[in-house]
Amino acid sequence: MHDQLMALAGELTAAGERPAGACPDPVNAAMIRNWTQALGDRGTRWAETAPPAMIQVWSMPGLNPDKPGSIADRALTLLNDEGFTGVVATNCEQTYDRYLRHGEHLRSTMRFGGATGPKRTGLGEGYFVTWYQTWYSGDERVAEMMFRVLKFRPRRRSSGSHAAKGYPLRPAVGPDTRFFWDGVRDGELRIQRCAECGRLRHPPGPMCPACQATKRDHVTASGRGTLHSYVVHHHPPVPGLDPPFVVALVELDEGVRMVGNLLGCPPEQVRIGMPVEVSFQEMDDELTLPQWRPAGSPTPSPAGTETGAGARSERGPGAETAGSEPGPEVETAGSEAETEVETALHPEAAEGLPELRVELTPTFVIATALATRDFTPVHHDTALARAQGSKDIFLNILTTMGLVQRYVLEHLPDVALEGISVRLGVPAYAGDTLTLTGRVVDDRAVEVRGAVSLGDHAVATVRLKEQP
């Protein structure tokens, strides 16, 4: 299959730019109103022009059974037929030549950008597929987009107690601890909470030690804490691990303490009180363990080198669950982190822009997917989302692009956008909260980060048009 896919990718790339047809509807106030209301954009600036981040919406075919195909359809169908049935968007870069006016009827063209893989990611083994779309009003180019998705094979869990050749040590999972290990599998660090007095406790147990109540629920921890104590293990041998390794006792920001190995830090560099963050280490196809690493240290790519004997891959609060793979054309936030901050656009730029919190209710996730004309089941059908290896429905990338635009224009209302580049990280699931923060890099760029409980959902660079 791999050779067939690579040959097909070469054929599609060589075909160059092809017509993709006229957009179903002209730029119109009704669709703009639905889009802005769903995303919480309360601005009034769109009375005559369209939000630039809506550009892809105008060409989305919706549920039309006779919808025109994409330049990437043949490659995506081949992957689907070979068992790579899961799909998530990982990168999107849009460039706006000008804002669109109400009443304009657009057409677009597409060209294939390539396929790479196979790569092992946090969702499973898969291939990255890239294509480009360009929009025209008449003969005038008005916008262009690079779009990349990951087509992956959802992981299948065997019915046995563990894989025959899996990691040799298994945790004891019972009624009191199942919620914890279910959370670890989904990339969440869960802490048991007394449903009567609200006290947090770890390890989990059947009764609250404070009030003796047996009713309990749990909270999702931030995954951050400080090193309270540690030992360097040399002997006896531990199956699946190479000594010496550091076993850490971490005090979470929420107040409870938890034990796990400290990764990515030589024993001689370990210090009591050092900030750490959780790192979900996949030991085999069935077992993920919550480990720790120094806060802010790089997280190995899911396709990268192993972190230790028996380790398969590692995901932290900021890890890219989808294994997004930006190519050389993708501009990611942080590439100019050392650039001197300019404050001409906004007096508070040196301190960063205020945060924006967006509650990702199921209604919000579904409504924004429909407002962007994205009917992919993982954004509105919980059962199908879980069948693809996800824990729930999650935000689509068109909505993420729109929220990045909303964030920048709410704080910098006088700027005009030239483009948005987004690289997705962990999914933004229904029931979570998306917190957007940002800073003005200079008079032509704003960096934006969107974080959820699992870590960074998106990092973005918003490019601004030159001021007259």
Side-chain angles (χ1 to χ4, degrees), residues 328-394:
E329 73 279 18
V330 179
E331 183 178 347
T332 58
S335 60
E336 300 182 41
E338 302 304 322
T339 304
E340 181 179 358
V341 173
E342 300 286 345
T343 59
L345 287 175
H346 198 281
E348 290 81 27
E351 302 297 328
L353 301 176
E355 72 175 28
L356 171 66
R357 293 172 61 85
V358 180
E359 298 300 326
L360 304 180
T361 64
T363 298
F364 182 87
V365 173
I366 296 171
T368 52
L370 298 183
T372 57
R373 297 178 60 80
D374 184 350
F375 295 93
T376 308
V378 293
H379 304 307
H380 62 81
D381 190 316
T382 301
L384 286 176
R386 288 176 176 169
Q388 289 197 7
S390 176
K391 77 166 189 175
D392 206 338
I393 58 174
F394 54 89

Side-chain angles (χ1 to χ4, degrees), residues 357-360 429 431-435 451-453:
R357 293 172 61 85
V358 180
E359 298 300 326
L360 304 180
Y429 289 118
D432 210 332
T433 300
L434 177 65
T435 301
V452 292
S453 62

Side-chain angles (χ1 to χ4, degrees), residues 142-415:
V142 293
E144 185 175 55
M145 177 184 70
M146 182 280 294
F147 201 80
R148 178 175 290 127
V149 300
L150 168 69
K151 284 288 289 179
F152 63 95
R153 180 179 284 119
R155 292 182 174 176
R156 294 178 175 84
R157 300 181 182 276
S158 67
S159 58
S161 60
H162 60 84
K165 295 184 179 180
Y167 185 68
L169 303 179
R170 322 300 294 186
V173 180
D176 294 327
T177 61
R178 188 171 304 280
F179 80 96
F180 177 82
W181 293 108
D182 286 347
V184 170
R185 182 192 61 210
D186 292 333
E188 292 183 356
L189 192 65
R190 297 176 179 175
I191 306 174
Q192 194 174 66
R193 177 176 61 184
C194 176
E196 296 290 346
C197 70
R199 178 170 174 172
L200 301 179
R201 61 181 186 264
H202 189 84
M207 180 181 292
C208 176
C211 69
Q212 287 72 57
T214 57
K215 293 182 180 180
R216 69 262 187 162
D217 55 19
H218 67 267
V219 299
T220 300
S222 66
R224 293 175 172 82
T226 57
L227 184 64
H228 179 78
S229 183
Y230 72 96
V231 297
V232 179
H233 186 94
H234 293 271
H235 194 78
V238 176
L241 295 176
D242 292 330
F245 57 89
V246 177
V247 181
L249 177 63
V250 174
E251 182 164 318
L252 275 63
D253 289 351
E254 290 76 12
V256 301
R257 294 173 183 171
M258 196 172 294
V259 175
N261 291 349
L262 181 63
L263 310 175
C265 186
E268 63 271 13
Q269 295 181 13
V270 178
R271 297 290 182 271
I272 298 295
M274 65 186 293
V276 295
E277 56 192 20
V278 73
S279 184
F280 296 104
Q281 191 177 24
E282 296 174 354
M283 311 306 292
D284 56 38
D285 286 342
E286 295 183 347
L287 178 62
T288 299
L289 295 179
Q291 313 281 37
W292 301 92
R293 58 186 170 92
S297 63
T299 304
S301 165
T305 57
E306 296 182 352
T307 56
R312 290 272 298 266
S313 63
E314 186 183 348
R315 291 182 286 130
E320 296 145 17
T321 304
S324 56
E325 182 199 62
E329 73 279 18
V330 179
E331 183 178 347
T332 58
S335 60
E336 300 182 41
E338 302 304 322
T339 304
E340 181 179 358
V341 173
E342 300 286 345
T343 59
L345 287 175
H346 198 281
E348 290 81 27
E351 302 297 328
L353 301 176
E355 72 175 28
L356 171 66
R357 293 172 61 85
V358 180
E359 298 300 326
L360 304 180
T361 64
T363 298
F364 182 87
V365 173
I366 296 171
T368 52
L370 298 183
T372 57
R373 297 178 60 80
D374 184 350
F375 295 93
T376 308
V378 293
H379 304 307
H380 62 81
D381 190 316
T382 301
L384 286 176
R386 288 176 176 169
Q388 289 197 7
S390 176
K391 77 166 189 175
D392 206 338
I393 58 174
F394 54 89
L395 214 60
N396 73 337
I397 194 170
L398 281 76
T399 298
T400 301
M401 299 286 286
L403 290 173
V404 169
Q405 173 194 277
R406 171 190 162 190
Y407 175 76
V408 170
L409 292 182
E410 281 188 4
H411 297 305
L412 304 172
D414 297 328
V415 303

Side-chain angles (χ1 to χ4, degrees), residues 26-36 41 43-55 58 96-104 106 142 405 409 413 415-417 465:
V27 178
N28 65 87
M31 288 177 64
I32 294 172
R33 182 170 60 253
N34 290 341
W35 188 89
T36 54
D41 184 343
T44 58
R45 66 172 66 224
W46 311 120
E48 297 180 357
T49 59
M54 275 190 76
I55 185 61
W58 302 115
Y96 317 120
D97 297 338
R98 65 167 173 83
Y99 285 11
L100 302 177
R101 297 180 290 271
H102 291 200
E104 289 192 273
L106 307 181
V142 293
Q405 173 194 277
L409 292 182
V415 303
L417 305 191
K465 291 186 180 293

